[in-house]
PDB file of all heavy atoms in Angstrom:
ATOM      1  N   PRO A   1       0.805  -1.226   0.000  1.00 76.00           N
ATOM      2  CA  PRO A   1       0.000   0.000   0.000  1.00 76.00           C
ATOM      3  C   PRO A   1       0.837   1.275   0.000  1.00 76.00           C
ATOM      4  O   PRO A   1       0.366   2.338  -0.412  1.00 76.00           O
ATOM      5  CB  PRO A   1      -0.818  -0.134   1.292  1.00 76.00           C
ATOM      6  CG  PRO A   1      -0.044  -1.064   2.155  1.00 76.00           C
ATOM      7  CD  PRO A   1       0.632  -2.020   1.226  1.00 76.00           C
ATOM      8  N   ARG A   2       2.098   1.214   0.416  1.00 77.00           N
ATOM      9  CA  ARG A   2       2.930   2.430   0.461  1.00 77.00           C
ATOM     10  C   ARG A   2       3.504   2.766  -0.905  1.00 77.00           C
ATOM     11  O   ARG A   2       3.532   3.938  -1.302  1.00 77.00           O
ATOM     12  CB  ARG A   2       4.069   2.234   1.463  1.00 77.00           C
ATOM     13  CG  ARG A   2       3.585   2.086   2.907  1.00 77.00           C
ATOM     14  CD  ARG A   2       4.742   1.778   3.842  1.00 77.00           C
ATOM     15  NE  ARG A   2       5.367   0.485   3.496  1.00 77.00           N
ATOM     16  CZ  ARG A   2       6.415  -0.011   4.128  1.00 77.00           C
ATOM     17  NH1 ARG A   2       6.977   0.674   5.121  1.00 77.00           N
ATOM     18  NH2 ARG A   2       6.912  -1.172   3.770  1.00 77.00           N
ATOM     19  N   THR A   3       3.937   1.750  -1.636  1.00 77.00           N
ATOM     20  CA  THR A   3       4.573   1.998  -2.933  1.00 77.00           C
ATOM     21  C   THR A   3       3.671   1.698  -4.110  1.00 77.00           C
ATOM     22  O   THR A   3       3.933   2.161  -5.225  1.00 77.00           O
ATOM     23  CB  THR A   3       5.861   1.161  -3.055  1.00 77.00           C
ATOM     24  OG1 THR A   3       5.512  -0.235  -2.970  1.00 77.00           O
ATOM     25  CG2 THR A   3       6.829   1.490  -1.921  1.00 77.00           C
ATOM     26  N   GLY A   4       2.607   0.922  -3.884  1.00 75.00           N
ATOM     27  CA  GLY A   4       1.739   0.527  -4.982  1.00 75.00           C
ATOM     28  C   GLY A   4       2.308  -0.567  -5.846  1.00 75.00           C
ATOM     29  O   GLY A   4       1.687  -0.946  -6.847  1.00 75.00           O
ATOM     30  N   LYS A   5       3.460  -1.110  -5.517  1.00 77.00           N
ATOM     31  CA  LYS A   5       4.084  -2.183  -6.277  1.00 77.00           C
ATOM     32  C   LYS A   5       3.907  -3.513  -5.530  1.00 77.00           C
ATOM     33  O   LYS A   5       3.640  -3.544  -4.334  1.00 77.00           O
ATOM     34  CB  LYS A   5       5.577  -1.903  -6.485  1.00 77.00           C
ATOM     35  CG  LYS A   5       5.854  -0.635  -7.275  1.00 77.00           C
ATOM     36  CD  LYS A   5       7.341  -0.442  -7.450  1.00 77.00           C
ATOM     37  CE  LYS A   5       7.642   0.842  -8.237  1.00 77.00           C
ATOM     38  NZ  LYS A   5       9.101   1.057  -8.415  1.00 77.00           N
ATOM     39  N   LYS A   6       4.047  -4.596  -6.297  1.00 76.00           N
ATOM     40  CA  LYS A   6       3.892  -5.922  -5.695  1.00 76.00           C
ATOM     41  C   LYS A   6       5.033  -6.192  -4.726  1.00 76.00           C
ATOM     42  O   LYS A   6       6.189  -5.871  -4.988  1.00 76.00           O
ATOM     43  CB  LYS A   6       3.848  -6.978  -6.795  1.00 76.00           C
ATOM     44  CG  LYS A   6       3.384  -8.361  -6.305  1.00 76.00           C
ATOM     45  CD  LYS A   6       3.239  -9.322  -7.463  1.00 76.00           C
ATOM     46  CE  LYS A   6       2.082  -8.878  -8.361  1.00 76.00           C
ATOM     47  NZ  LYS A   6       0.774  -9.012  -7.640  1.00 76.00           N
ATOM     48  N   LYS A   7       4.690  -6.784  -3.581  1.00 78.00           N
ATOM     49  CA  LYS A   7       5.685  -7.076  -2.568  1.00 78.00           C
ATOM     50  C   LYS A   7       6.685  -8.119  -3.081  1.00 78.00           C
ATOM     51  O   LYS A   7       6.333  -9.023  -3.831  1.00 78.00           O
ATOM     52  CB  LYS A   7       5.015  -7.616  -1.303  1.00 78.00           C
ATOM     53  CG  LYS A   7       4.114  -6.606  -0.601  1.00 78.00           C
ATOM     54  CD  LYS A   7       3.505  -7.222   0.645  1.00 78.00           C
ATOM     55  CE  LYS A   7       2.608  -6.224   1.359  1.00 78.00           C
ATOM     56  NZ  LYS A   7       1.977  -6.811   2.563  1.00 78.00           N
ATOM     57  N   GLN A   8       7.931  -7.954  -2.691  1.00 77.00           N
ATOM     58  CA  GLN A   8       8.993  -8.890  -3.064  1.00 77.00           C
ATOM     59  C   GLN A   8       9.185  -9.876  -1.910  1.00 77.00           C
ATOM     60  O   GLN A   8       9.821  -9.569  -0.900  1.00 77.00           O
ATOM     61  CB  GLN A   8      10.293  -8.132  -3.346  1.00 77.00           C
ATOM     62  CG  GLN A   8      10.202  -7.193  -4.526  1.00 77.00           C
ATOM     63  CD  GLN A   8      10.031  -7.943  -5.833  1.00 77.00           C
ATOM     64  OE1 GLN A   8      10.569  -9.036  -6.018  1.00 77.00           O
ATOM     65  NE2 GLN A   8       9.296  -7.353  -6.762  1.00 77.00           N
ATOM     66  N   LEU A   9       8.553 -11.058  -2.057  1.00 89.00           N
ATOM     67  CA  LEU A   9       8.650 -12.091  -1.029  1.00 89.00           C
ATOM     68  C   LEU A   9       9.293 -13.331  -1.614  1.00 89.00           C
ATOM     69  O   LEU A   9       9.253 -13.557  -2.822  1.00 89.00           O
ATOM     70  CB  LEU A   9       7.253 -12.437  -0.486  1.00 89.00           C
ATOM     71  CG  LEU A   9       6.492 -11.271   0.165  1.00 89.00           C
ATOM     72  CD1 LEU A   9       5.112 -11.725   0.590  1.00 89.00           C
ATOM     73  CD2 LEU A   9       7.269 -10.701   1.344  1.00 89.00           C
ATOM     74  N   HIS A  10       9.871 -14.139  -0.748  1.00 92.00           N
ATOM     75  CA  HIS A  10      10.579 -15.342  -1.170  1.00 92.00           C
ATOM     76  C   HIS A  10       9.743 -16.582  -0.863  1.00 92.00           C
ATOM     77  O   HIS A  10       9.084 -16.671   0.188  1.00 92.00           O
ATOM     78  CB  HIS A  10      11.936 -15.442  -0.462  1.00 92.00           C
ATOM     79  CG  HIS A  10      12.890 -14.360  -0.853  1.00 92.00           C
ATOM     80  ND1 HIS A  10      13.750 -14.484  -1.926  1.00 92.00           N
ATOM     81  CD2 HIS A  10      13.122 -13.124  -0.328  1.00 92.00           C
ATOM     82  CE1 HIS A  10      14.479 -13.383  -2.041  1.00 92.00           C
ATOM     83  NE2 HIS A  10      14.106 -12.540  -1.088  1.00 92.00           N
ATOM     84  N   CYS A  11       9.785 -17.522  -1.771  1.00 92.00           N
ATOM     85  CA  CYS A  11       9.033 -18.775  -1.635  1.00 92.00           C
ATOM     86  C   CYS A  11       9.503 -19.519  -0.384  1.00 92.00           C
ATOM     87  O   CYS A  11      10.707 -19.624  -0.120  1.00 92.00           O
ATOM     88  CB  CYS A  11       9.220 -19.640  -2.877  1.00 92.00           C
ATOM     89  SG  CYS A  11       8.406 -21.262  -2.777  1.00 92.00           S
ATOM     90  N   ARG A  12       8.556 -20.033   0.373  1.00 90.00           N
ATOM     91  CA  ARG A  12       8.905 -20.724   1.605  1.00 90.00           C
ATOM     92  C   ARG A  12       9.647 -22.031   1.333  1.00 90.00           C
ATOM     93  O   ARG A  12      10.416 -22.484   2.182  1.00 90.00           O
ATOM     94  CB  ARG A  12       7.611 -21.014   2.393  1.00 90.00           C
ATOM     95  CG  ARG A  12       7.821 -21.690   3.732  1.00 90.00           C
ATOM     96  CD  ARG A  12       8.670 -20.847   4.670  1.00 90.00           C
ATOM     97  NE  ARG A  12       8.073 -19.565   4.940  1.00 90.00           N
ATOM     98  CZ  ARG A  12       7.165 -19.325   5.891  1.00 90.00           C
ATOM     99  NH1 ARG A  12       6.730 -20.325   6.636  1.00 90.00           N
ATOM    100  NH2 ARG A  12       6.711 -18.119   6.084  1.00 90.00           N
ATOM    101  N   LEU A  13       9.495 -22.611   0.141  1.00 90.00           N
ATOM    102  CA  LEU A  13      10.118 -23.890  -0.150  1.00 90.00           C
ATOM    103  C   LEU A  13      11.460 -23.737  -0.864  1.00 90.00           C
ATOM    104  O   LEU A  13      12.485 -24.259  -0.415  1.00 90.00           O
ATOM    105  CB  LEU A  13       9.171 -24.757  -0.990  1.00 90.00           C
ATOM    106  CG  LEU A  13       9.590 -26.206  -1.184  1.00 90.00           C
ATOM    107  CD1 LEU A  13       9.575 -26.946   0.156  1.00 90.00           C
ATOM    108  CD2 LEU A  13       8.671 -26.911  -2.175  1.00 90.00           C
ATOM    109  N   CYS A  14      11.476 -22.997  -1.973  1.00 92.00           N
ATOM    110  CA  CYS A  14      12.717 -22.886  -2.754  1.00 92.00           C
ATOM    111  C   CYS A  14      13.467 -21.582  -2.487  1.00 92.00           C
ATOM    112  O   CYS A  14      14.571 -21.385  -2.996  1.00 92.00           O
ATOM    113  CB  CYS A  14      12.414 -23.011  -4.241  1.00 92.00           C
ATOM    114  SG  CYS A  14      11.431 -21.653  -4.913  1.00 92.00           S
ATOM    115  N   HIS A  15      12.856 -20.659  -1.741  1.00 92.00           N
ATOM    116  CA  HIS A  15      13.480 -19.408  -1.307  1.00 92.00           C
ATOM    117  C   HIS A  15      13.801 -18.448  -2.458  1.00 92.00           C
ATOM    118  O   HIS A  15      14.616 -17.535  -2.293  1.00 92.00           O
ATOM    119  CB  HIS A  15      14.757 -19.685  -0.504  1.00 92.00           C
ATOM    120  CG  HIS A  15      14.540 -20.616   0.655  1.00 92.00           C
ATOM    121  ND1 HIS A  15      13.763 -20.302   1.749  1.00 92.00           N
ATOM    122  CD2 HIS A  15      14.980 -21.888   0.861  1.00 92.00           C
ATOM    123  CE1 HIS A  15      13.755 -21.312   2.602  1.00 92.00           C
ATOM    124  NE2 HIS A  15      14.480 -22.308   2.087  1.00 92.00           N
ATOM    125  N   LYS A  16      13.172 -18.643  -3.612  1.00 92.00           N
ATOM    126  CA  LYS A  16      13.300 -17.690  -4.711  1.00 92.00           C
ATOM    127  C   LYS A  16      12.128 -16.717  -4.676  1.00 92.00           C
ATOM    128  O   LYS A  16      11.111 -16.962  -4.016  1.00 92.00           O
ATOM    129  CB  LYS A  16      13.352 -18.427  -6.042  1.00 92.00           C
ATOM    130  CG  LYS A  16      14.573 -19.336  -6.194  1.00 92.00           C
ATOM    131  CD  LYS A  16      14.555 -20.032  -7.547  1.00 92.00           C
ATOM    132  CE  LYS A  16      15.769 -20.942  -7.701  1.00 92.00           C
ATOM    133  NZ  LYS A  16      15.767 -21.651  -9.017  1.00 92.00           N
ATOM    134  N   LYS A  17      12.255 -15.603  -5.410  1.00 91.00           N
ATOM    135  CA  LYS A  17      11.196 -14.610  -5.418  1.00 91.00           C
ATOM    136  C   LYS A  17       9.911 -15.201  -5.988  1.00 91.00           C
ATOM    137  O   LYS A  17       9.930 -15.895  -7.011  1.00 91.00           O
ATOM    138  CB  LYS A  17      11.613 -13.388  -6.230  1.00 91.00           C
ATOM    139  CG  LYS A  17      12.716 -12.579  -5.563  1.00 91.00           C
ATOM    140  CD  LYS A  17      13.043 -11.325  -6.360  1.00 91.00           C
ATOM    141  CE  LYS A  17      14.134 -10.510  -5.664  1.00 91.00           C
ATOM    142  NZ  LYS A  17      14.454  -9.273  -6.430  1.00 91.00           N
ATOM    143  N   ALA A  18       8.795 -14.914  -5.309  1.00 91.00           N
ATOM    144  CA  ALA A  18       7.508 -15.474  -5.695  1.00 91.00           C
ATOM    145  C   ALA A  18       6.468 -14.369  -5.788  1.00 91.00           C
ATOM    146  O   ALA A  18       6.553 -13.347  -5.088  1.00 91.00           O
ATOM    147  CB  ALA A  18       7.064 -16.523  -4.686  1.00 91.00           C
ATOM    148  N   THR A  19       5.498 -14.576  -6.658  1.00 88.00           N
ATOM    149  CA  THR A  19       4.383 -13.627  -6.827  1.00 88.00           C
ATOM    150  C   THR A  19       3.053 -14.224  -6.398  1.00 88.00           C
ATOM    151  O   THR A  19       2.027 -13.562  -6.494  1.00 88.00           O
ATOM    152  CB  THR A  19       4.279 -13.203  -8.301  1.00 88.00           C
ATOM    153  OG1 THR A  19       4.079 -14.364  -9.119  1.00 88.00           O
ATOM    154  CG2 THR A  19       5.542 -12.473  -8.738  1.00 88.00           C
ATOM    155  N   THR A  20       3.059 -15.459  -5.932  1.00 92.00           N
ATOM    156  CA  THR A  20       1.837 -16.117  -5.463  1.00 92.00           C
ATOM    157  C   THR A  20       2.056 -16.617  -4.041  1.00 92.00           C
ATOM    158  O   THR A  20       3.184 -16.765  -3.572  1.00 92.00           O
ATOM    159  CB  THR A  20       1.460 -17.299  -6.370  1.00 92.00           C
ATOM    160  OG1 THR A  20       2.571 -18.203  -6.454  1.00 92.00           O
ATOM    161  CG2 THR A  20       1.092 -16.812  -7.769  1.00 92.00           C
ATOM    162  N   LYS A  21       0.930 -16.918  -3.383  1.00 91.00           N
ATOM    163  CA  LYS A  21       0.977 -17.385  -2.003  1.00 91.00           C
ATOM    164  C   LYS A  21      -0.199 -18.328  -1.732  1.00 91.00           C
ATOM    165  O   LYS A  21      -1.112 -18.464  -2.551  1.00 91.00           O
ATOM    166  CB  LYS A  21       0.913 -16.207  -1.029  1.00 91.00           C
ATOM    167  CG  LYS A  21      -0.434 -15.489  -1.032  1.00 91.00           C
ATOM    168  CD  LYS A  21      -0.498 -14.423   0.021  1.00 91.00           C
ATOM    169  CE  LYS A  21      -1.886 -13.757   0.050  1.00 91.00           C
ATOM    170  NZ  LYS A  21      -1.993 -12.741   1.104  1.00 91.00           N
ATOM    171  N   CYS A  22      -0.160 -18.985  -0.583  1.00 90.00           N
ATOM    172  CA  CYS A  22      -1.281 -19.799  -0.106  1.00 90.00           C
ATOM    173  C   CYS A  22      -2.141 -18.921   0.789  1.00 90.00           C
ATOM    174  O   CYS A  22      -1.651 -18.347   1.772  1.00 90.00           O
ATOM    175  CB  CYS A  22      -0.788 -21.028   0.652  1.00 90.00           C
ATOM    176  SG  CYS A  22      -2.102 -22.030   1.381  1.00 90.00           S
ATOM    177  N   MET A  23      -3.433 -18.833   0.469  1.00 87.00           N
ATOM    178  CA  MET A  23      -4.314 -17.944   1.219  1.00 87.00           C
ATOM    179  C   MET A  23      -4.498 -18.425   2.660  1.00 87.00           C
ATOM    180  O   MET A  23      -4.618 -17.606   3.578  1.00 87.00           O
ATOM    181  CB  MET A  23      -5.678 -17.864   0.522  1.00 87.00           C
ATOM    182  CG  MET A  23      -5.643 -17.155  -0.828  1.00 87.00           C
ATOM    183  SD  MET A  23      -7.286 -17.011  -1.560  1.00 87.00           S
ATOM    184  CE  MET A  23      -8.121 -16.029  -0.309  1.00 87.00           C
ATOM    185  N   LYS A  24      -4.522 -19.739   2.899  1.00 84.00           N
ATOM    186  CA  LYS A  24      -4.747 -20.237   4.258  1.00 84.00           C
ATOM    187  C   LYS A  24      -3.482 -20.165   5.098  1.00 84.00           C
ATOM    188  O   LYS A  24      -3.502 -19.686   6.228  1.00 84.00           O
ATOM    189  CB  LYS A  24      -5.257 -21.674   4.200  1.00 84.00           C
ATOM    190  CG  LYS A  24      -5.565 -22.265   5.569  1.00 84.00           C
ATOM    191  CD  LYS A  24      -6.153 -23.643   5.461  1.00 84.00           C
ATOM    192  CE  LYS A  24      -6.486 -24.196   6.846  1.00 84.00           C
ATOM    193  NZ  LYS A  24      -7.098 -25.543   6.773  1.00 84.00           N
ATOM    194  N   CYS A  25      -2.374 -20.658   4.555  1.00 83.00           N
ATOM    195  CA  CYS A  25      -1.111 -20.638   5.313  1.00 83.00           C
ATOM    196  C   CYS A  25      -0.499 -19.247   5.379  1.00 83.00           C
ATOM    197  O   CYS A  25       0.332 -18.981   6.263  1.00 83.00           O
ATOM    198  CB  CYS A  25      -0.115 -21.608   4.698  1.00 83.00           C
ATOM    199  SG  CYS A  25      -0.649 -23.332   4.684  1.00 83.00           S
ATOM    200  N   GLU A  26      -0.871 -18.375   4.427  1.00 84.00           N
ATOM    201  CA  GLU A  26      -0.329 -17.014   4.361  1.00 84.00           C
ATOM    202  C   GLU A  26       1.185 -17.023   4.234  1.00 84.00           C
ATOM    203  O   GLU A  26       1.886 -16.269   4.923  1.00 84.00           O
ATOM    204  CB  GLU A  26      -0.781 -16.192   5.560  1.00 84.00           C
ATOM    205  CG  GLU A  26      -2.290 -15.996   5.629  1.00 84.00           C
ATOM    206  CD  GLU A  26      -2.702 -15.096   6.765  1.00 84.00           C
ATOM    207  OE1 GLU A  26      -1.791 -14.563   7.455  1.00 84.00           O
ATOM    208  OE2 GLU A  26      -3.903 -14.917   6.992  1.00 84.00           O
ATOM    209  N   VAL A  27       1.689 -17.888   3.380  1.00 88.00           N
ATOM    210  CA  VAL A  27       3.122 -17.950   3.108  1.00 88.00           C
ATOM    211  C   VAL A  27       3.312 -17.876   1.597  1.00 88.00           C
ATOM    212  O   VAL A  27       2.507 -18.417   0.825  1.00 88.00           O
ATOM    213  CB  VAL A  27       3.747 -19.248   3.655  1.00 88.00           C
ATOM    214  CG1 VAL A  27       3.666 -19.282   5.171  1.00 88.00           C
ATOM    215  CG2 VAL A  27       3.088 -20.483   3.077  1.00 88.00           C
ATOM    216  N   PRO A  28       4.346 -17.185   1.106  1.00 92.00           N
ATOM    217  CA  PRO A  28       4.596 -17.116  -0.345  1.00 92.00           C
ATOM    218  C   PRO A  28       5.035 -18.470  -0.887  1.00 92.00           C
ATOM    219  O   PRO A  28       5.882 -19.154  -0.298  1.00 92.00           O
ATOM    220  CB  PRO A  28       5.692 -16.062  -0.466  1.00 92.00           C
ATOM    221  CG  PRO A  28       6.355 -16.036   0.866  1.00 92.00           C
ATOM    222  CD  PRO A  28       5.306 -16.363   1.868  1.00 92.00           C
ATOM    223  N   LEU A  29       4.467 -18.862  -2.021  1.00 93.00           N
ATOM    224  CA  LEU A  29       4.775 -20.140  -2.647  1.00 93.00           C
ATOM    225  C   LEU A  29       4.615 -20.026  -4.152  1.00 93.00           C
ATOM    226  O   LEU A  29       3.687 -19.366  -4.640  1.00 93.00           O
ATOM    227  CB  LEU A  29       3.835 -21.255  -2.144  1.00 93.00           C
ATOM    228  CG  LEU A  29       4.042 -21.797  -0.727  1.00 93.00           C
ATOM    229  CD1 LEU A  29       2.870 -22.678  -0.331  1.00 93.00           C
ATOM    230  CD2 LEU A  29       5.346 -22.568  -0.641  1.00 93.00           C
ATOM    231  N   HIS A  30       5.527 -20.650  -4.897  1.00 92.00           N
ATOM    232  CA  HIS A  30       5.331 -20.800  -6.334  1.00 92.00           C
ATOM    233  C   HIS A  30       4.236 -21.831  -6.591  1.00 92.00           C
ATOM    234  O   HIS A  30       3.975 -22.701  -5.760  1.00 92.00           O
ATOM    235  CB  HIS A  30       6.639 -21.241  -7.021  1.00 92.00           C
ATOM    236  CG  HIS A  30       7.705 -20.205  -6.993  1.00 92.00           C
ATOM    237  ND1 HIS A  30       8.869 -20.354  -6.280  1.00 92.00           N
ATOM    238  CD2 HIS A  30       7.781 -18.978  -7.589  1.00 92.00           C
ATOM    239  CE1 HIS A  30       9.631 -19.288  -6.437  1.00 92.00           C
ATOM    240  NE2 HIS A  30       8.993 -18.433  -7.222  1.00 92.00           N
ATOM    241  N   VAL A  31       3.629 -21.751  -7.735  1.00 92.00           N
ATOM    242  CA  VAL A  31       2.614 -22.742  -8.096  1.00 92.00           C
ATOM    243  C   VAL A  31       3.240 -24.127  -8.197  1.00 92.00           C
ATOM    244  O   VAL A  31       2.641 -25.138  -7.807  1.00 92.00           O
ATOM    245  CB  VAL A  31       1.937 -22.346  -9.420  1.00 92.00           C
ATOM    246  CG1 VAL A  31       0.942 -23.419  -9.862  1.00 92.00           C
ATOM    247  CG2 VAL A  31       1.244 -21.002  -9.280  1.00 92.00           C
ATOM    248  N   THR A  32       4.467 -24.194  -8.689  1.00 92.00           N
ATOM    249  CA  THR A  32       5.143 -25.496  -8.804  1.00 92.00           C
ATOM    250  C   THR A  32       5.558 -26.058  -7.447  1.00 92.00           C
ATOM    251  O   THR A  32       5.747 -27.261  -7.303  1.00 92.00           O
ATOM    252  CB  THR A  32       6.378 -25.364  -9.698  1.00 92.00           C
ATOM    253  OG1 THR A  32       7.230 -24.321  -9.187  1.00 92.00           O
ATOM    254  CG2 THR A  32       5.965 -25.011 -11.131  1.00 92.00           C
ATOM    255  N   CYS A  33       5.709 -25.202  -6.449  1.00 92.00           N
ATOM    256  CA  CYS A  33       6.094 -25.641  -5.102  1.00 92.00           C
ATOM    257  C   CYS A  33       4.886 -25.892  -4.198  1.00 92.00           C
ATOM    258  O   CYS A  33       5.044 -26.383  -3.067  1.00 92.00           O
ATOM    259  CB  CYS A  33       7.002 -24.617  -4.438  1.00 92.00           C
ATOM    260  SG  CYS A  33       8.533 -24.271  -5.334  1.00 92.00           S
ATOM    261  N   PHE A  34       3.701 -25.546  -4.680  1.00 92.00           N
ATOM    262  CA  PHE A  34       2.508 -25.568  -3.839  1.00 92.00           C
ATOM    263  C   PHE A  34       2.183 -26.985  -3.354  1.00 92.00           C
ATOM    264  O   PHE A  34       1.975 -27.220  -2.146  1.00 92.00           O
ATOM    265  CB  PHE A  34       1.321 -24.992  -4.622  1.00 92.00           C
ATOM    266  CG  PHE A  34       0.124 -24.695  -3.781  1.00 92.00           C
ATOM    267  CD1 PHE A  34       0.001 -23.481  -3.134  1.00 92.00           C
ATOM    268  CD2 PHE A  34      -0.886 -25.627  -3.642  1.00 92.00           C
ATOM    269  CE1 PHE A  34      -1.107 -23.208  -2.350  1.00 92.00           C
ATOM    270  CE2 PHE A  34      -1.995 -25.362  -2.863  1.00 92.00           C
ATOM    271  CZ  PHE A  34      -2.097 -24.140  -2.229  1.00 92.00           C
ATOM    272  N   LEU A  35       2.165 -27.952  -4.254  1.00 91.00           N
ATOM    273  CA  LEU A  35       1.786 -29.321  -3.871  1.00 91.00           C
ATOM    274  C   LEU A  35       2.835 -29.950  -2.970  1.00 91.00           C
ATOM    275  O   LEU A  35       2.498 -30.615  -1.982  1.00 91.00           O
ATOM    276  CB  LEU A  35       1.595 -30.158  -5.145  1.00 91.00           C
ATOM    277  CG  LEU A  35       1.207 -31.631  -4.925  1.00 91.00           C
ATOM    278  CD1 LEU A  35      -0.123 -31.718  -4.199  1.00 91.00           C
ATOM    279  CD2 LEU A  35       1.146 -32.366  -6.269  1.00 91.00           C
ATOM    280  N   HIS A  36       4.090 -29.749  -3.283  1.00 90.00           N
ATOM    281  CA  HIS A  36       5.157 -30.361  -2.478  1.00 90.00           C
ATOM    282  C   HIS A  36       5.179 -29.777  -1.072  1.00 90.00           C
ATOM    283  O   HIS A  36       5.480 -30.484  -0.109  1.00 90.00           O
ATOM    284  CB  HIS A  36       6.503 -30.146  -3.160  1.00 90.00           C
ATOM    285  CG  HIS A  36       7.641 -30.817  -2.455  1.00 90.00           C
ATOM    286  ND1 HIS A  36       7.779 -32.181  -2.374  1.00 90.00           N
ATOM    287  CD2 HIS A  36       8.711 -30.282  -1.772  1.00 90.00           C
ATOM    288  CE1 HIS A  36       8.857 -32.482  -1.673  1.00 90.00           C
ATOM    289  NE2 HIS A  36       9.438 -31.355  -1.302  1.00 90.00           N
ATOM    290  N   TYR A  37       4.840 -28.510  -0.917  1.00 90.00           N
ATOM    291  CA  TYR A  37       4.857 -27.875   0.412  1.00 90.00           C
ATOM    292  C   TYR A  37       3.744 -28.424   1.307  1.00 90.00           C
ATOM    293  O   TYR A  37       3.923 -28.540   2.518  1.00 90.00           O
ATOM    294  CB  TYR A  37       4.701 -26.367   0.254  1.00 90.00           C
ATOM    295  CG  TYR A  37       4.680 -25.612   1.560  1.00 90.00           C
ATOM    296  CD1 TYR A  37       5.848 -25.324   2.241  1.00 90.00           C
ATOM    297  CD2 TYR A  37       3.466 -25.178   2.107  1.00 90.00           C
ATOM    298  CE1 TYR A  37       5.820 -24.629   3.448  1.00 90.00           C
ATOM    299  CE2 TYR A  37       3.428 -24.487   3.309  1.00 90.00           C
ATOM    300  CZ  TYR A  37       4.618 -24.217   3.963  1.00 90.00           C
ATOM    301  OH  TYR A  37       4.586 -23.535   5.164  1.00 90.00           O
ATOM    302  N   HIS A  38       2.587 -28.764   0.728  1.00 89.00           N
ATOM    303  CA  HIS A  38       1.434 -29.182   1.529  1.00 89.00           C
ATOM    304  C   HIS A  38       1.291 -30.690   1.617  1.00 89.00           C
ATOM    305  O   HIS A  38       0.272 -31.172   2.114  1.00 89.00           O
ATOM    306  CB  HIS A  38       0.146 -28.598   0.909  1.00 89.00           C
ATOM    307  CG  HIS A  38       0.037 -27.115   1.068  1.00 89.00           C
ATOM    308  ND1 HIS A  38       0.347 -26.251   0.052  1.00 89.00           N
ATOM    309  CD2 HIS A  38      -0.324 -26.344   2.131  1.00 89.00           C
ATOM    310  CE1 HIS A  38       0.158 -24.993   0.458  1.00 89.00           C
ATOM    311  NE2 HIS A  38      -0.234 -25.043   1.719  1.00 89.00           N
ATOM    312  N   THR A  39       2.256 -31.456   1.199  1.00 85.00           N
ATOM    313  CA  THR A  39       2.215 -32.905   1.348  1.00 85.00           C
ATOM    314  C   THR A  39       3.456 -33.355   2.072  1.00 85.00           C
ATOM    315  O   THR A  39       4.545 -32.793   1.908  1.00 85.00           O
ATOM    316  CB  THR A  39       2.151 -33.612  -0.012  1.00 85.00           C
ATOM    317  OG1 THR A  39       3.238 -33.154  -0.838  1.00 85.00           O
ATOM    318  CG2 THR A  39       0.837 -33.304  -0.716  1.00 85.00           C
TER     319      THR A  39
END
């Protein structure tokens, strides 16, 4: 909200920059890392 730009967060699994997250866990995750993180 301060800059109007997308936040730069790191994926919880691979630790690279991610633009998606899990709404329930509230942690940044790539789509490719999503299934492996929750199993």
